[in-house]
Amino acid sequence: MQRTLVSAMGLVLLSLAPANAQEVEVRKPVVTPVAPAKLSEVFFKTVPDSLEDLQEIERQVTSLTEKAIHSTVSVRVGDAQGSGVIIDNKAGYILTAAHVIGLAQKDATIILHDGRTLKGRTMGLNRGLDAGLVKLIEDAEVDISKLTAAKMGDISQIKTGEWVMATGHPNGYQAGRPPVVRLGRVVTRKKHLLQTDCTLIGGDSGGPLYNMQGEVVGIHSRIGPSTSWNFHIPVSAFQDDWEKLVSGDMWGAKPLGQNAVLGVNGETTDQGCKVTGVTRGFPAEIAGLKENDIIYQLNDEKITGIEQLAEVVQQYKPGQTVQVQLTRDGKSMSFEVQLAARD
């Protein structure tokens, strides 16, 4: 995801020989209890009301940052990129978003926080809830058991207004830059969805959302036009269907290859959708779109923002050609773009 919104798309795909339930060790993740009593009172206030409160928040976040960064990874398939989080360094399991994975049994490159790379394999995915699983492949040079793994939290304890921390690779992995940390609060909590105001952009998809105990409570899924429109898959989506995910099952929604993709990240502006990133090798880059272009029309549809651009793109099928109208440095330009499949 990026979802360009073209669905916050990160895309992970790893492959080797097909795996089945008998070949894979099923290790259901342990859910540790949340212990709110260990947190400072500031985390239970509606808003911080003093410099001391802000300093206490800073201390707590700082204490969690190193481990959170070390367990966050980049997931790459070809030139497409997303994020993920290691939650088991024995079996090598990584949580990510289903739209990042695309399909089971695909090859992927996993990039650690310090730039080291590992191979992996996509496991199962629940497209309906956007939950996906990746398994690291044993490596002669990197001891997987020594990697930092994050614990999974108890989603039933999450409350609206709770402080949370997001990590990921905005705009994809960048050499020399560790995963980026952002702080926010839970805006809405539903059974299969968390909404926060943690600032996310394309490339963050599949990355982890932490509570203030440093436990993963969600995985970044969809990114909206405003800072409060960021949606995460609760870790319960993984916990409830763990055996199916490990066995390589795919279920829910239609295959991602039936969806069209343009290949841009963007943000809503008064003029339309400002391109904040162009995914290498995707239709937008091939056609000549660039960062900072402002898309204001696609065929006969006026474009009012990133969310609406994603909806318009989804009206078309992979392989169809569309006319994209945009402004670049104040000049109007038109590009013919052949949409591709997201798979």
Side-chain angles (χ1 to χ4, degrees):
M1 171 178 48
Q2 322 196 145
R3 194 181 167 209
T4 112
L5 197 103
V6 181
S7 196
M9 183 151 319
L11 294 171
V12 178
L13 288 84
L14 305 67
S15 140
L16 278 181
N20 56 47
Q22 285 70 44
E23 295 174 328
V24 181
E25 180 185 7
V26 178
R27 293 168 50 89
K28 190 162 185 175
V30 176
V31 179
T32 56
V34 176
K38 295 181 180 180
L39 290 177
S40 165
E41 289 184 4
V42 65
F43 291 100
F44 304 97
K45 292 182 178 180
T46 302
V47 294
D49 55 21
S50 68
L51 176 59
E52 289 72 21
D53 283 352
L54 295 175
Q55 290 173 330
E56 181 58 35
I57 292 173
E58 181 182 34
R59 280 191 290 270
Q60 181 65 15
V61 171
T62 301
S63 72
L64 303 176
T65 298
E66 182 176 358
K67 186 173 182 180
I69 287 175
H70 286 194
S71 60
T72 302
V73 299
S74 169
V75 183
R76 178 179 289 178
V77 181
D79 290 318
Q81 304 178 61
S83 301
V85 59
I86 301 169
I87 54 95
D88 186 334
N89 55 10
K90 303 291 190 300
Y93 290 130
I94 294 171
L95 305 186
T96 188
H99 78 261
V100 169
I101 295 176
L103 295 169
Q105 308 307 328
K106 294 293 181 179
D107 290 333
T109 299
I110 307 302
I111 307 177
L112 303 178
H113 73 282
D114 56 8
R116 289 178 295 168
T117 60
L118 292 167
K119 293 181 180 180
R121 174 170 51 186
T122 58
M123 307 297 284
L125 54 152
N126 179 347
R127 294 191 181 103
L129 297 183
D130 202 22
L133 187 68
V134 176
K135 182 176 171 62
L136 287 168
I137 296 172
E138 290 293 338
D139 187 280
E141 297 182 2
V142 179
D143 185 350
I144 293 175
S145 69
K146 298 289 179 62
L147 300 179
T148 302
K151 294 181 179 179
M152 300 175 75
D154 184 354
I155 189 63
S156 69
Q157 301 298 314
I158 290 289
K159 295 179 174 60
T160 300
E162 181 168 333
W163 289 88
V164 285
M165 184 175 74
T167 59
H169 291 277
N171 278 332
Y173 173 80
Q174 296 179 27
R177 185 195 71 178
V180 177
V181 178
R182 282 136 293 174
L183 187 65
R185 303 180 85 168
V186 175
V187 176
T188 302
R189 177 205 159 200
K190 298 181 179 179
K191 182 178 181 182
H192 297 306
L193 195 69
L194 286 173
Q195 180 182 354
T196 75
D197 60 5
C198 295
T199 302
L200 303 176
I201 63 174
D204 281 315
S205 288
L209 182 73
Y210 293 93
N211 62 21
M212 287 295 101
Q213 282 81 23
E215 301 162 336
V216 179
V217 292
I219 295 296
H220 314 325
S221 175
R222 287 175 285 147
I223 300 168
S226 121
T227 56
S228 63
W229 279 32
N230 298 297
F231 300 94
H232 316 262
I233 317 148
V235 290
S236 55
F238 298 87
Q239 295 157 353
D240 294 345
D241 292 308
W242 187 251
E243 287 79 8
K244 292 175 69 175
L245 291 169
V246 170
S247 296
D249 290 355
M250 296 187 293
W251 72 99
K254 64 181 180 180
L256 291 175
Q258 295 178 17
N259 294 329
V261 62
L262 179 61
V264 299
N265 301 326
E267 62 184 22
T268 298
T269 69
D270 293 339
Q271 294 78 39
C273 175
K274 179 180 179 180
V275 177
T276 58
V278 180
T279 306
R280 193 181 309 167
F282 274 64
E285 187 205 39
I286 294 171
L289 273 69
K290 297 182 179 180
E291 188 174 339
N292 294 321
D293 286 346
I294 298 178
I295 300 172
Y296 62 86
Q297 187 169 318
L298 192 151
N299 283 349
D300 296 327
E301 293 270 2
K302 181 180 179 181
I303 301 303
T304 58
I306 183 63
E307 285 272 3
Q308 192 250 348
L309 174 61
E311 293 173 1
V312 172
V313 169
Q314 291 308 301
Q315 297 173 12
Y316 297 90
K317 295 180 180 180
Q320 286 187 290
T321 298
V322 297
Q323 205 72 25
V324 176
Q325 306 287 332
L326 58 83
T327 58
R328 178 182 296 169
D329 299 326
K331 297 179 180 179
S332 293
M333 307 179 74
S334 179
F335 291 84
E336 193 172 78
V337 184
Q338 184 177 25
L339 300 174
R342 193 193 321 153
D343 58 12

